[in-house]
């Protein structure tokens, strides 16, 4: 596993903060994706670019989350999952048989739909990733930095050693973001991070994403079109194809957010964005 | 009655709602009282048992008092009675069985809750590109279910059968190991006697098997009750399966697992027949695993048949002590389990 970890991290790295180059961090090309016999996604190619926010939008059941979970091999936990195509992370195929999914998930962090802090203290939640990676340096400093980056520090600095479950939903979600960024992963995947939150907490997370994109590459799945419009640089629209019997998701359109929303090329995208949907 | 909502028949919606009838109302009350009564009857039954034993034990309590608990001899002819070796044997055998049984029980619970078997079958299948027919794919799951039921069936084997199995299988099986340990590591107190047949170790091993279903069934439920989103979070941070199990799943389920262990301890304390057959029934206080010993329950089982009127009182006193210990342990276990099943603050 150490070997693969080295390979993953030693891939060419462009300087962070160089935001003009459209360097692709994750090149995701799914030709076919199955859960057992069920074909969930087909023909989806989305490049995730460095220091940008890429949003996946589309109706329910179109496979947005499935695609996102492909990017750090969370789907490997689903029984019967089968994947054809490739996902290149910094030039390396993460589905190659020599790559350990555990290593992939250490470089590509994830924030989930439901806030899911562990039943331990706030401090230990954030330090969990540090511990997994065997970080020997100053853990307190790292935890504080992660909590500051997640805009949570001021609210929790006096109660770091109380249970994380005592926080509100929005705070819990920011704690989960802090936990995910404590180890400085290259990419942050967010699977509908605001769907369980109220509008104020949602706004807070959005602001946070815009701050984080200077140092991280973010891919987000969202049901909220305004959110994609406000936050995302690039947007991919997925739609469900029911013509072949099943419900298979596929990528309809991908481009700069402004273009996708204001001048969509495909009819399906136009219909969805203007709410003309059955 | 008059304060009831007026009937709205004839209204525009033509509602068919009506007031509950006399019978509907009162059968509800009667049913409520009946369940209340039966629930309290079981409590009264327990109190009645404690009272009867207490009354019968009263003369012995008066005659022997604390000396009964601290005494180490049991001599019917000299009217000398002490149950310290039995209390020691009860606690020692139960704790020993608990260590073995809890280790295996929790391991079984983890094995079943993580679906190790099916994930193994699937990963091997995936390696060779095998697509399982849905019917075959269910096979590992079914096998796991059978395994779970088999483990729970261990609780259905009669105690006396366990005792026989212990005498004819466990003792011959462990004897060579025990002899080796005694001759080579005899200087360690727990190995310093030879196994003459029945003894503490075979009794504890059989006892461990008897409490294993209790530990594994309740631990399994506790592990399955851990929200799947915590598992996801852990994997999402790049934890391996073992790191997830040890750092997240087991600690989150720890209250339930701890409750399971306490309840199993309660069972082990009261177990009678298998122990009476295997423990050796000798009034000895010894650290040695191979030494024969005695337990309160075995003492009662062995001595009641020939007990004279005076001895019955003494045995009732011993029964009262055993009852006290098991009631206490069970109450603590039930309390912890109840705490564990309360929804955790903030988990939504």
């Amino acid at each position: 596993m150490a070997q693969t970890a080295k390979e993953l991290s030693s891939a060419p790295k462009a300087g962070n903060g160089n935001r003009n180059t459209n360097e692709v961090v994750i090149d995701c090309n799914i030709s076919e994706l199955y859960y057992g016999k069920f074909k969930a996604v087909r023909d989806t190619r989305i490049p995730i670019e460095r220091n940008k926010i890429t949003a996946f939008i589309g109706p329910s059941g179109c496979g947005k989350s499935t695609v996102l979970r492909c990017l750090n091999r969370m789907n490997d936990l689903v029984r019967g999952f089968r994947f054809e195509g490739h996902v290149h992370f910094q030039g390396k195929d993460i589905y190659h048989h020599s790559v350990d999914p555990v290593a992939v998930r250490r470089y590509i962090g994830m924030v989930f739909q439901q806030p899911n802090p562990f039943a331990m203290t706030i401090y230990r939640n954030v330090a969990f990733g540090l511990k997994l990676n065997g970080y020997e340096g100053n853990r307190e400093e790292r935890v504080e930095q992660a909590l500051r980056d997640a805009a949570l520090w001021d609210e929790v600095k006096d109660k770091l050693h109380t249970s994380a479950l005592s926080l509100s939903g929005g705070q819990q979600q920011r704690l989960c973001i802090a936990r995910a960024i404590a180890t400085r992963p290259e990419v942050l995947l967010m699977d509908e991070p605001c769907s369980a939150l109220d509008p104020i907490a949602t706004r807070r997370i959005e602001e946070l994403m815009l701050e984080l994109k200077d140092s991280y590459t973010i891919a987000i799945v969202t049901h909220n079109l305004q959110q994609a419009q406000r936050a995302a640089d690039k947007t991919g629209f997925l739609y469900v194809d029911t013509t072949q019997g099943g419900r298979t998701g596929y990528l309809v359109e991908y481009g700069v957010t402004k273009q996708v929303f204001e001048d969509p090329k495909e009819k399906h995208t136009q219909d969805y964005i203007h709410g003309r949907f059955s | 009655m008059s304060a009831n909502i007026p009937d709205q028949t004839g209204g525009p919606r033509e509602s068919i709602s009506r007031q509950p009838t006399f019978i509907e109302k009162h059968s509800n009350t009667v049913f409520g009282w009946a369940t209340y009564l039966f629930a309290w009857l079981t409590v009264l039954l327990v109190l009645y048992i404690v009272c009867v034993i207490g009354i019968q034990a009263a003369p012995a309590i008066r005659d022997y008092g604390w000396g009964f608990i601290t005494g180490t001899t049991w001599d019917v002819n000299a009217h000398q009675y002490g149950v310290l070796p039995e209390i020691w044997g009860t606690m020692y055998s139960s704790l020993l069985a608990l260590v073995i049984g809890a280790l295996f029980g929790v391991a079984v619970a983890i094995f079943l809750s993580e679906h190790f078997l099916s994930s193994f079958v699937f990963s091997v299948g995936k390696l060779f590109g095998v697509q399982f027919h849905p019917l075959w794919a269910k096979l590992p799951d079914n096998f796991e279910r059978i395994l779970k039921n088999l483990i729970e069936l261990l609780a259905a084997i009669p105690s006396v059968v366990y005792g026989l199995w212990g005498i004819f299988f466990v003792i011959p099986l462990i004897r060579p190991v025990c002899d080796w340990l005694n001759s080579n590591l005899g200087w360690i107190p727990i190995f310093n006697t030879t196994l003459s047949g029945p003894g503490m170790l075979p009794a504890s091993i059989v006892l461990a098997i008897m409490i294993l279903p209790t530990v594994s069934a309740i631990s399994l439920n506790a592990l399955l009750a851990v929200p799947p989103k915590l598992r996801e979070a852990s994997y999402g941070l790049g934890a391996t399966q073992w790191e997830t199990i040890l750092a997240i799943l087991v600690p989150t389920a720890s209250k339930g697992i701890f409750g399971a262990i306490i309840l199993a301890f309660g069972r082990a304390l009261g177990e009678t027949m298998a122990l009476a057959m295997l423990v050796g029934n000798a009034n000895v206080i010894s650290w040695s695993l191979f030494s024969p010993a005695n337990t309160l329950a075995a003492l009662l089982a062995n001595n009641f048949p020939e007990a004279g009127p005076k001895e019955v009182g003494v045995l009732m006193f011993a029964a009262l002590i055993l009852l006290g210990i098991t009631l206490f342990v069970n109450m603590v276990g039930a309390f912890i389990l109840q705490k564990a099943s309360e929804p955790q603050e903030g988990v939504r």
Side-chain angles (χ1 to χ4, degrees):
Chain A
M1 194 185 75
Q3 186 64 35
T4 34
K6 209 169 277 170
E7 281 170 31
L8 282 173
S9 59
S10 66
K13 225 187 234 183
N16 281 4
N18 185 358
R19 294 170 61 184
N20 291 327
T21 55
N22 291 347
E23 189 208 341
V24 174
V25 183
I26 300 181
D27 178 24
C28 160
N29 190 347
I30 301 169
S31 27
E32 271 169 347
L33 190 154
Y34 292 91
Y35 288 135
K37 287 207 175 303
F38 170 64
K39 189 181 187 179
V41 178
R42 67 167 171 86
D43 304 317
T44 297
R45 174 157 202 172
I46 298 185
I48 312 282
E49 292 170 13
R50 185 177 293 283
N51 296 115
K52 289 201 172 132
I53 298 177
T54 306
F56 298 1
I57 58 168
S60 296
C62 72
K64 307 181 292 288
S65 293
T66 305
V67 172
L68 194 77
R69 278 157 180 262
C70 260
L71 304 182
N72 69 344
R73 295 195 61 171
M74 279 304 279
N75 278 333
D76 285 35
L77 302 174
V78 180
R79 187 182 288 183
F81 165 73
R82 198 156 54 83
F83 170 82
E84 279 165 33
H86 64 77
V87 175
H88 284 164
F89 171 58
Q90 298 185 334
K92 170 125 184 117
D93 185 0
I94 62 169
Y95 280 90
H96 192 265
H97 62 80
S98 69
V99 174
D100 185 345
V102 170
V104 171
R105 293 180 205 127
R106 291 189 181 181
Y107 289 92
I108 305 178
M110 189 153 198
V111 176
F112 296 86
Q113 186 169 357
Q114 295 278 332
N116 51 4
F118 301 131
M120 38 173 103
T121 64
I122 294 169
Y123 178 86
R124 286 187 58 204
N125 260 284
V126 182
F128 189 76
L130 301 176
K131 216 161 100 185
L132 284 180
N133 286 284
Y135 180 68
E136 294 292 339
N138 189 342
R139 284 191 188 170
E140 270 116 55
E141 203 174 277
R142 283 271 172 156
V143 168
E144 178 178 343
Q145 192 54 45
L147 284 168
R148 279 191 195 282
D149 288 349
L152 190 63
W153 175 251
D154 290 332
E155 291 159 63
V156 300
K157 63 184 172 194
D158 300 324
K159 48 175 184 177
L160 284 178
H161 296 284
T162 57
S163 170
L165 303 178
S166 63
L167 298 174
S168 74
Q171 288 174 326
Q172 286 189 7
Q173 193 63 305
R174 274 180 283 146
L175 178 69
C176 292
I177 294 174
R179 187 175 62 187
I181 63 178
T183 55
R184 300 289 172 96
E186 294 289 324
V187 183
L188 198 56
L189 307 177
M190 302 176 113
D191 187 359
E192 298 183 39
C194 303
S195 68
L197 305 181
D198 66 48
I200 295 166
T202 301
R203 217 38 205 254
R204 199 100 174 74
I205 302 268
E206 271 176 37
E207 284 162 13
L208 182 59
M209 283 194 297
L210 291 172
E211 283 164 29
L212 289 176
K213 80 169 179 176
D214 287 338
S215 0
Y216 300 93
T217 304
I218 297 175
I220 178 173
V221 164
T222 180
H223 264 297
N224 184 336
L225 294 182
Q226 284 79 29
Q227 184 172 59
Q229 236 172 332
R230 281 192 299 256
D233 301 292
K234 294 287 182 83
T235 298
F237 171 64
L238 286 95
Y239 186 58
V240 196
D241 179 12
T242 50
T243 54
Q244 288 163 2
R247 288 177 59 84
T248 305
Y250 68 104
L251 183 73
V252 175
E253 192 165 349
Y254 167 80
V256 177
T257 302
K258 203 169 157 63
Q259 175 257 314
V260 171
F261 276 92
E262 288 173 10
D263 181 27
K265 292 196 186 73
E266 303 286 331
K267 185 162 182 313
H268 282 316
T269 320
Q270 276 174 25
D271 288 350
Y272 184 69
I273 282 164
H274 296 119
R276 292 194 294 267
F277 244 135
S278 50
Chain B
M1 272 298 179
S2 56
N4 283 336
I5 305 160
D7 280 353
Q8 293 200 336
T9 44
R13 288 179 293 109
E14 291 195 17
S15 168
I16 57 162
S17 310
R18 62 163 173 79
Q19 306 289 348
T21 62
F22 180 83
I23 291 174
E24 279 166 351
K25 262 188 189 169
H26 290 269
S27 61
N28 189 32
T29 322
V30 169
F31 182 73
W33 277 104
T35 51
Y36 201 67
L37 182 74
F38 287 127
W40 277 105
L41 271 179
T42 57
V43 176
L44 285 176
L45 192 64
V46 173
L47 288 177
Y48 179 68
I49 291 171
V50 174
C51 281
V52 167
I53 295 176
I55 289 164
Q56 298 221 37
I61 295 173
R62 208 170 38 239
D63 291 352
Y64 298 98
W66 284 105
F68 185 70
I69 296 171
T70 52
T72 55
T73 47
W74 185 278
D75 191 335
V76 181
N77 299 322
H79 292 299
Q80 274 201 331
Y81 301 107
V83 289
L84 193 62
E86 281 75 19
I87 294 176
W88 164 261
T90 304
M91 299 304 280
Y92 194 18
S93 63
S94 299
L95 283 171
L96 201 60
L98 200 64
V99 171
I100 307 170
L103 266 175
F104 277 89
V106 172
V108 165
I110 289 173
F111 179 86
L112 290 175
S113 72
E114 285 288 304
H115 304 292
F116 274 121
L117 195 67
S118 42
S119 54
F120 175 72
V121 170
F122 269 87
S123 57
V124 170
K126 212 170 173 179
L127 215 61
F128 295 105
V130 182
Q131 281 296 302
F132 285 107
H133 186 274
L135 208 68
W136 291 110
K138 283 207 183 87
L139 206 63
D141 276 352
N142 287 336
F143 186 74
E144 274 177 0
R145 201 168 303 133
I146 291 168
L147 204 61
K148 182 171 175 255
N149 287 330
L150 277 179
I151 288 163
E152 279 168 13
L153 266 182
L154 284 178
I157 298 176
S159 186
V160 64
V161 177
Y162 271 116
L164 286 174
W165 181 73
I167 290 171
F168 291 109
F169 180 76
V170 176
I171 293 177
L173 185 76
I174 63 170
R175 195 192 290 275
V177 183
C178 296
D179 288 346
W180 186 87
L181 283 171
N182 177 238
S183 51
N184 288 287
L185 298 167
W187 50 274
I188 302 173
I190 56 170
F191 300 136
N192 70 2
T193 58
T194 51
L195 184 76
S196 57
M200 188 58 91
L201 187 64
S204 298
I205 289 173
V206 171
L207 198 53
I209 297 168
M210 296 175 79
I211 62 171
L212 190 130
T214 311
V215 178
S216 70
I218 300 175
S219 304
L220 179 63
N221 285 341
L223 282 169
L224 290 177
V226 174
K229 62 182 187 176
L230 293 186
R231 190 186 297 254
E232 264 191 338
S234 176
Y235 284 125
L237 286 164
T240 62
Q241 190 170 21
W242 283 111
E243 285 164 342
T244 304
I245 293 168
L246 294 180
I248 304 300
L249 300 180
V250 171
T252 310
S254 60
K255 279 185 192 161
I257 294 173
F258 191 62
I261 290 171
I262 297 279
L263 284 188
F265 189 49
R267 267 207 67 185
L269 289 171
E271 184 46 54
T272 309
M273 201 56 222
L275 280 171
M277 294 165 82
L278 285 166
V279 83
N281 306 316
N283 278 20
V284 179
I285 298 180
S286 164
W287 278 104
S288 175
L289 295 174
F290 312 140
S291 153
N294 206 354
T295 71
L296 284 167
L299 175 87
L300 294 173
N302 284 323
N303 287 294
F304 250 113
E306 293 109 34
K310 170 123 186 161
E311 211 184 342
V312 166
V314 177
L315 289 172
M316 283 296 184
F317 191 7
L320 199 65
I321 293 167
L322 179 62
L323 189 68
I325 297 174
T326 49
L327 270 184
F328 176 75
V329 169
N330 271 299
M331 266 150 62
V332 170
F335 179 74
I336 292 170
L337 267 187
Q338 189 200 352
K339 280 274 169 204
S341 58
E342 274 170 13
Q344 281 167 346
E345 190 194 350
V347 172
R348 280 181 282 260

